[in-house]
């Protein structure tokens, strides 16, 4: 089975589990049309359906469905042999009715027994789509396919979700207020407004105002003195003029 088909089946089953209480082992109610299609396509229902649903499954039918299939056993002899392999749920009909009528009575209005209907009958499928919480299973391209939940199933699930939320009525709210008054814990009608405090200007950071410390040995006077001391003082030469006996500087 492809991963996409597997994800879809698990998604749909999870929907029915969360909203309508479906659980394992799944009760699959089969009719003659589904078994006839399985016989024609050489599909082993007992092996394929539990694998497809990824869980335990009880394959069930009714006496009315078996009797209806027996009447046309010449064409559907293989389908009849498949049907007789499965368990029989008592439908309560003293006189046999058609398979579709029997299935309608078994499912009822709410599908309380959580049946998954396996049928190829399109008219029956259309009628079951109008009822909420009825999963439909059919054979498509030689493989079982669980149909997407119908609109009625989604709508009823949404209504049930809204009803789970409880709201306090006006009478309950007034009773709650009177109880608070009696206990002395009456709430103020006007909500206290939060006053935003404006930030006052702060003094500058004293660390940023400190004078920079001078490194030792980097005194400007010492630098000048060092430069002076480093210079070599030149002596001026004194020349004597022999003729005039004068000293020329």
């Amino acid at each position: 089975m492809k991963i996409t088909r597997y994800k879809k089946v698990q998604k749909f089953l999870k929907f029915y589990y969360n909203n309508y209480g479906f659980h394992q082992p799944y009760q699959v109610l089969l009719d003659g049309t589904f078994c006839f299609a399985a016989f024609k396509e050489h599909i082993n229902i007992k092996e394929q359906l539990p694998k497809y649903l990824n869980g335990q499954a009880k394959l069930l039918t009714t006496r009315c469905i078996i009797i209806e299939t027996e009447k046309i056993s010449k064409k559907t002899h293989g389908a009849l042999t498949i049907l007789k392999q499965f368990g029989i749920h008592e439908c309560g009909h003293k006189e046999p009715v058609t398979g579709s009528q029997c299935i309608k009575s078994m499912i009822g209005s709410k599908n309380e027994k959580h049946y998954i209907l396996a049928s190829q009958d399109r008219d029956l499928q259309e009628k079951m789509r109008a009822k909420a919480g009825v999963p439909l299973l059919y054979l498509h391209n030689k493989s079982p396919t669980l149909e997407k939940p119908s609109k009625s199933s989604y709508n009823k699930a949404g209504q049930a979700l809204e009803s789970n939320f409880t709201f306090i009525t006006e009478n309950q709210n007034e009773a709650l207020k009177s109880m608070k008054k009696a206990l002395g814990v009456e709430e103020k009608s006007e909500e206290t407004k939060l006053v935003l405090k404006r930030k006052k200007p702060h003094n500058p950071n004293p660390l940023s105002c400190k004078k920079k410390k001078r490194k030792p040995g980097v005194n400007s006077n010492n630098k000048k003195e060092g430069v002076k001391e480093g210079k070599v003082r030149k002596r001026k030469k004194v020349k004597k003029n022999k003729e005039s006996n004068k000293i020329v500087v």
Side-chain angles (χ1 to χ4, degrees):
M1 185 168 61
K2 293 182 180 179
I3 296 172
T4 52
R5 289 185 69 233
Y6 173 78
K7 286 183 177 179
K8 280 184 179 180
V9 173
Q10 296 306 309
K11 182 182 177 182
F12 299 155
L13 288 174
K14 192 175 181 181
F15 169 80
Y16 287 112
Y17 171 79
N18 291 330
N19 296 288
Y20 295 98
F22 279 72
H23 55 81
Q24 296 186 32
Y26 301 114
Q27 296 194 106
V28 184
L29 185 62
L30 300 100
D31 68 349
T33 60
F34 188 86
C35 293
F36 178 74
F39 175 75
K40 189 178 179 181
E41 299 295 339
H42 304 285
I43 297 170
N44 191 341
I45 298 174
K46 276 189 175 181
E47 292 181 0
Q48 292 294 326
L49 288 184
K51 285 181 181 178
Y52 178 70
L53 298 174
N54 193 28
Q56 298 176 358
K58 286 183 179 180
L59 306 181
L60 308 168
T61 188
T62 64
R63 293 187 185 277
C64 294
I65 294 170
I66 292 173
I67 292 168
E68 183 186 43
T69 311
E70 283 177 348
K71 289 179 180 179
I72 49 174
S73 59
K74 291 180 180 180
K75 295 181 179 179
T76 60
H77 181 71
L80 181 63
T81 55
I82 293 171
L83 271 173
K84 287 182 177 180
Q85 295 175 2
F86 308 137
I88 297 173
H89 263 206
E90 292 297 331
C91 57
H93 296 117
K94 294 180 181 180
E95 294 182 2
V97 295
T98 61
S100 59
Q101 288 177 353
C102 185
I103 288 169
K104 288 177 188 176
S105 64
M106 290 287 286
I107 290 173
S109 59
K110 296 182 180 179
N111 193 13
E112 293 176 353
K113 294 184 179 179
H114 305 129
Y115 289 118
I116 296 174
L117 177 60
S119 176
Q120 300 293 108
D121 189 350
R122 292 185 178 180
D123 294 333
L124 181 62
Q125 289 175 356
E126 194 64 31
K127 289 174 183 177
M128 290 298 107
R129 287 189 190 102
K131 294 185 178 183
V134 183
L136 296 177
L137 187 68
Y138 58 90
L139 294 175
H140 178 69
N141 294 332
K142 296 185 179 182
S143 60
T145 304
L146 185 67
E147 192 175 82
K148 182 181 177 182
S150 61
K151 289 183 179 179
S152 58
S153 296
Y154 277 119
N155 292 335
K156 190 172 181 181
Q159 290 173 5
L161 186 65
E162 288 178 0
S163 64
N164 288 333
F165 293 101
T166 55
F167 297 97
I168 298 173
T169 60
E170 292 182 359
N171 294 330
Q172 290 174 344
N173 194 14
E174 290 177 0
L176 185 64
K177 285 180 180 180
S178 61
M179 286 174 65
K180 285 182 178 180
K181 286 180 182 179
L183 294 171
V185 287
E186 185 181 359
E187 294 180 356
K188 293 181 180 179
S189 58
E190 295 181 359
E191 295 180 355
T192 55
K193 295 181 180 180
L194 294 172
V195 180
L196 296 174
K197 293 181 180 180
R198 294 183 181 179
K199 292 183 179 180
K200 295 180 181 179
H202 295 287
N203 293 326
N205 191 353
L207 295 174
S208 63
C209 298
K210 279 187 176 182
K211 293 182 180 180
K212 294 182 179 179
K213 292 183 180 180
R214 295 178 181 177
K215 294 180 181 180
V218 192
N219 195 354
S220 58
N221 295 330
N222 291 340
K223 281 185 179 180
K224 291 178 182 179
E225 288 175 2
V227 172
K228 284 182 180 180
E229 288 176 2
K231 289 183 179 181
V232 180
R233 190 173 182 182
K234 295 181 180 180
R235 293 183 180 181
K236 294 181 180 181
K237 293 182 180 181
V238 179
K239 294 181 180 181
K240 291 183 180 182
N241 196 344
K242 292 180 180 180
E243 296 177 358
S244 59
N245 293 327
K246 291 182 180 178
I247 298 169
V248 180
V249 180

